[in-house]
Amino acid sequence: MFIHDTLLHRLKRGCETMAYPRGPAPPLPGRHGGALQVESSKCPDACRVCVPLCPTRAISRELGQAVALDMGRCVFCAACVEGCPQQAITQTGDHRMAVRRREDLLLGAPGQEQVRLAAALDAKLRKLFGRSLRLRQVSAGGCNACEADTNVLGTIGWDLGRFGIQFVASPRHADGLLITGPVSKAMELALKKTYDAVPEPKIVIAVGACAIAGGPFTGHPQVLDGAAAVVPVDLYIPGCPPHPLTILDGLLRLLGRLESGR
């Protein structure tokens, strides 16, 4: 009787896994403004209102130059958005933020108002990892927010395994690393050894502002300001923490699993 009731209940509930990416992406929650956009042409020459507002020094402006915003350092507090009198920095509501190169997260220069989204791995690596990717997650001194949003991808609503992507317990069984946290000095050797234990070829994914540039801990003497100080990084996914949709988009983009233009 119990088994019958359980099966009947599941049939009534139907499929709870989202259709994305075959269907539309779920909307970001209202408090999540998505990726930022910088229109430096709106900035008066002497305006630096937004610079001291940023808690992680993600915004800078040199004399005679355009305002520059580092999305890798950004913790998405929206202080600059609210404080800019010219509305030169705005939220786009776009969940897509992952990039392959660190410099693609630097906004403000002509032609660089938004991030340049990640390109897929080359054909050889896509052939190896495109249908089956195993990742070892390394928490390198973070607060567990990025780890929590990464774990969400394993729930029934997201079902990361349907894309052939899984997290494994041993780096020797992994194709690469997914790193969170600013990489504290206490974790430097552990991260290096974990990376060395992953067989070649391998990929490294830095998730969150801490893993990209130190986040709110940037410049602290006990952190290394991100994973790239220890290992080569193939994909950067900004956020504090990144929304699960942003993480999923980055992973699928890296594997060439998203349709062109999406």
Side-chain angles (χ1 to χ4, degrees), residues 171-172 187-198 230-231:
R172 298 191 185 280
M187 280 296 297
E188 179 180 5
L189 181 58
L191 176 57
K192 182 65 168 62
K193 286 186 174 182
T194 304
Y195 175 80
D196 290 341
V198 178
V230 182
V231 295

Side-chain angles (χ1 to χ4, degrees), residues 55-89:
T56 58
R57 302 191 297 277
I59 304 175
S60 61
R61 188 173 195 185
E62 302 297 332
L63 184 64
Q65 295 185 4
V67 64
L69 190 153
D70 185 350
M71 282 268 288
R73 282 193 174 196
C74 180
V75 294
F76 296 85
C77 65
C80 58
V81 176
E82 297 169 2
C84 179
Q86 307 298 327
Q87 296 184 324
I89 302 176

Side-chain angles (χ1 to χ4, degrees), residues 52-262:
L53 297 177
C54 183
T56 58
R57 302 191 297 277
I59 304 175
S60 61
R61 188 173 195 185
E62 302 297 332
L63 184 64
Q65 295 185 4
V67 64
L69 190 153
D70 185 350
M71 282 268 288
R73 282 193 174 196
C74 180
V75 294
F76 296 85
C77 65
C80 58
V81 176
E82 297 169 2
C84 179
Q86 307 298 327
Q87 296 184 324
I89 302 176
T90 55
Q91 295 171 316
T92 65
D94 194 343
H95 66 273
R96 302 171 302 170
M97 295 186 236
V99 303
R100 293 292 306 277
R101 303 183 306 166
R102 178 68 177 88
E103 55 267 33
D104 287 340
L105 290 172
L106 305 178
L107 308 183
Q112 184 67 345
E113 295 181 345
Q114 299 184 34
V115 296
R116 296 189 180 99
L117 296 176
L121 293 167
D122 63 48
K124 181 178 180 180
L125 290 179
R126 285 203 310 274
K127 186 175 180 179
L128 287 172
F129 301 141
R131 295 175 61 86
S132 177
L133 179 65
R134 302 294 183 264
L135 297 171
R136 175 66 168 94
Q137 200 276 321
V138 180
S139 179
C143 68
N144 284 328
C146 291
E147 292 85 343
D149 275 3
T150 300
N151 288 341
V152 166
L153 295 176
T155 61
I156 191 171
W158 298 85
D159 190 15
L160 187 64
R162 64 192 162 120
F163 304 108
I165 306 172
Q166 294 181 346
F167 292 100
V168 295
S170 170
R172 298 191 185 280
H173 300 159
D175 301 308
L177 303 180
L178 187 148
I179 304 169
T180 56
V183 188
S184 63
K185 287 188 175 180
M187 280 296 297
E188 179 180 5
L189 181 58
L191 176 57
K192 182 65 168 62
K193 286 186 174 182
T194 304
Y195 175 80
D196 290 341
V198 178
E200 297 282 356
K202 49 193 168 186
I203 59 176
V204 174
I205 302 165
V207 173
C210 287
I212 295 174
F217 309 102
T218 184
H220 193 283
Q222 291 303 314
V223 302
L224 301 177
D225 291 345
V230 182
V231 295
V233 176
D234 300 287
L235 182 70
Y236 299 87
I237 305 179
C240 189
H243 191 276
L245 183 58
T246 300
I247 301 173
L248 178 60
D249 174 85
L251 294 175
L252 297 182
R253 205 167 288 280
L254 184 70
L255 298 178
R257 301 285 292 276
L258 290 179
E259 295 177 9
S260 177
R262 178 167 294 177

